[in-house]
């Protein structure tokens, strides 16, 4: 049977990237997705914005919703200080298996805790099961209709503190209208839109960065 897109992406990493070199893994995936087969990684253009936010926040605790093949996971983990706690959630076991291998190829498996399951089920368990108090940074990149309910869930579970940063991918394409409306009108957040493009295309997309005000 034909391989899957994540499997083909992993093979491109194993063929073209150097083990233990996160930058080469990032480049191998971007090359593959730009020239061989598009995939829904945050990509190089939005990835630079992600890098600058991670570097600015310099977070001790990070949550990523939607690992996919681990591209943004590698981008984030390579910038984290030693001892930082980074949890990434992936729903699909087959995709999670690929992501673990991409992360291992980058040599970052010790910095990342990849948990399989749905955000709606796992977020309420963060404190008891993963020993997390609050998150300094949350990267939202999962089902677009889960951004809003999961943000409300994180508020209710006390996982956000004054100054916590939410960074949301795809707020234009595919779009997260209910999330944008909520976060831009809520007095509890200060939001900023970073205009960019849908990964590997000329279509408009962007990242929404929101600071929780407590
Ligand atoms: N609740 C929960 N908990 C945990 C989870 N883990 C995974 N999932 C499911 C996530 C499934 C993938 C989500 N990502 C996207 O759908 C996505 C799509 C496009 C895109 C596609 C086609 C176009 F023509 C244009 C743009 C571009 C992007 O950058 C995207 O990120 C979870 N869900
Ligand atoms: Mg995305």
């Amino acid at each position: 049977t034909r391989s899957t897109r994540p499997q083909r992406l992993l093979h491109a990493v194993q063929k073209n990237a150097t083990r233990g070199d996160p930058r080469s893994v990032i480049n191998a995936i971007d090359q593959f997705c730009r020239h061989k087969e598009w995939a829904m990684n945050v990509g190089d253009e939005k990835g630079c914005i992600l890098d600058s936010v991670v570097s600015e926040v310099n977070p001790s605790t990070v949550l990523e919703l939607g690992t996919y093949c681990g591209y943004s996971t590698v981008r984030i983990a390579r910038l984290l200080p030693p001892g930082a706690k980074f949890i990434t959630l992936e729903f699909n076991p087959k995709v999670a298996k690929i992501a673990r291998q991409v992360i291992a190829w980058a040599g970052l498996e010790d910095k990342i805790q990849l948990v399989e399951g749905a955000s709606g089920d796992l977020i309420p368990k963060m404190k008891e099961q993963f020993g997390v108090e609050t998150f300094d940074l949350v990267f939202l990149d999962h089902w677009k209709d889960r951004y809003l309910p999961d943000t409300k869930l994180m508020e209710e579970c006390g996982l956000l503190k004054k100054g916590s940063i939410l960074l949301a991918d795809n707020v234009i394409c595919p779009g997260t209208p209910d999330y944008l409306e909520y976060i831009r009108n809520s007095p509890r957040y200060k939001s900023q839109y970073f205009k960019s493009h849908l990964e590997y295309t000329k279509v408009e997309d962007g990242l929404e960065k929101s600071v929780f005000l407590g």
Side-chain angles (χ1 to χ4, degrees):
T1 53
R2 179 170 153 73
S3 64
T4 64
R5 182 170 312 194
Q7 278 170 332
R8 293 192 292 273
L9 184 148
L10 171 63
H11 291 150
V13 166
Q14 293 168 333
K15 181 165 171 280
N16 303 307
T18 308
R19 264 189 175 285
D21 176 356
R23 186 72 252 178
S24 74
V25 168
I26 292 162
N27 292 341
I29 294 172
D30 285 330
Q31 286 294 98
F32 175 74
C33 294
R34 191 172 285 283
H35 303 296
K36 293 282 188 325
E37 187 173 6
W38 187 92
M40 58 183 171
N41 315 117
V42 73
D44 43 0
E45 193 180 312
K46 288 186 289 179
C48 284
I49 300 166
L50 172 62
D51 289 357
S52 60
V53 172
V54 174
S55 302
E56 177 199 347
V57 178
N58 198 34
S60 301
T61 53
V62 185
L63 175 63
E64 177 179 59
L65 302 176
T67 316
Y68 192 48
C69 295
Y71 173 88
S72 50
T73 320
V74 167
R75 283 203 85 113
I76 294 167
R78 85 190 202 284
L79 299 174
L80 294 180
K85 190 171 194 57
F86 182 10
I87 296 172
T88 182
L89 306 186
E90 179 47 54
F91 175 76
N92 181 325
K94 289 191 175 67
V95 169
K97 194 169 179 298
I98 298 290
R100 291 186 198 286
Q101 296 172 79
V102 168
I103 290 162
W105 199 269
L108 293 169
E109 63 278 14
D110 295 343
K111 299 184 81 116
I112 296 159
Q113 192 172 356
L114 197 167
V115 184
E116 293 180 33
S119 53
D121 301 331
L122 290 168
I123 285 170
K125 297 174 181 166
M126 280 294 147
K127 292 196 186 233
E128 62 179 298
Q129 225 168 36
F130 304 107
V132 169
E133 265 310 296
T134 56
F135 287 106
D136 298 321
L137 173 67
V138 182
F139 181 53
L140 298 92
D141 195 20
H142 60 331
W143 276 318
K144 307 314 160 195
D145 62 3
R146 287 297 313 178
Y147 284 28
L148 180 53
D150 286 344
T151 297
K152 290 180 171 175
L153 195 52
M154 287 187 285
E155 290 174 16
E156 285 152 22
C157 296
L159 287 168
L160 304 178
K161 70 173 188 297
K162 186 172 167 30
S164 290
I165 303 288
L166 303 184
L167 188 66
D169 189 25
N170 309 118
V171 296
I172 304 299
C173 177
T176 61
D178 60 342
Y179 173 79
L180 273 191
E181 208 268 335
Y182 173 80
I183 209 89
R184 288 176 173 175
N185 296 306
S186 167
R188 304 185 75 186
Y189 294 90
K190 178 90 188 82
S191 290
Q192 188 181 359
Y193 175 61
F194 292 83
K195 184 176 162 62
S196 183
H197 295 94
L198 176 68
E199 47 268 28
Y200 318 115
T201 77
K202 293 186 166 44
V203 174
E204 182 180 345
D205 189 20
L207 301 174
E208 187 82 358
K209 177 189 171 198
S210 305
V211 186
F212 186 60
L213 302 174

